[in-house]
Amino acid sequence: EVQLVESGGGSVQAGGSLRLSCVASANIYRRGCMGWFRQAPGKEREGVAGISRVSSTRYADSVKGRFTISPDNAKNTVFLQMDSLKPEDTAMYYCAAAADYSWACGDMWYRASRFSYWGQGTQVTVSS
């Protein structure tokens, strides 16, 4: 069974931090690209960060320097550390994994269509 379970969302004030966790089932954990996406009401789902099997990372321009994606291989977990949060970071955050194990978070890593497996999401709300 394929599972992705997110946690760690919540409400913070602008400038604060949160760390999101995504626990993946062993059959998909870092087999290929894994990513974090977010979706605000009325907006499309957008890629926030991605990490490949060899730990190369990708970030959306809007979060570079503030967010960090990292793995804990002992726990089949991918984290998203979010610092200096802004109200525009408010969204539902989703963890995703690609089914194409040969794809290493390359071109268009930020496209939701490149990922086959999704978690249920965790809400992040940043107040000004």
Side-chain angles (χ1 to χ4, degrees):
E1 182 182 3
V2 172
Q3 272 195 322
L4 294 168
V5 181
E6 304 100 330
S7 62
S11 297
V12 296
Q13 290 191 326
S17 298
L18 284 172
R19 187 175 79 158
L20 306 184
S21 300
C22 171
V23 180
S25 53
N27 53 353
I28 58 169
Y29 176 71
R30 299 191 70 196
R31 292 290 183 90
C33 181
M34 291 189 68
W36 282 97
F37 285 74
R38 66 187 181 188
Q39 188 167 20
K43 295 189 176 181
E44 290 188 359
R45 192 168 295 190
E46 62 174 353
V48 174
I51 186 166
S52 73
R53 284 189 301 170
V54 295
S55 295
S56 61
T57 56
R58 307 291 293 266
Y59 295 96
D61 288 344
S62 59
V63 306
K64 279 181 182 176
R66 300 189 299 121
F67 290 12
T68 304
I69 188 170
S70 63
D72 182 338
N73 295 333
K75 298 180 179 179
N76 287 3
T77 300
V78 174
F79 298 105
L80 184 67
Q81 177 67 41
M82 306 187 296
D83 298 319
S84 302
L85 282 162
K86 304 175 181 180
E88 51 262 45
D89 294 318
T90 294
M92 185 71 79
Y93 283 70
Y94 298 91
C95 178
D100 180 357
Y101 297 156
S102 66
W103 181 55
C105 296
D107 291 345
M108 294 187 289
W109 67 270
Y110 49 85
R111 292 275 181 93
S113 59
R114 297 302 305 264
F115 294 81
S116 299
Y117 307 111
W118 293 87
Q120 82 289 350
T122 186
Q123 177 68 37
V124 171
T125 302
V126 184
S127 58
S128 57

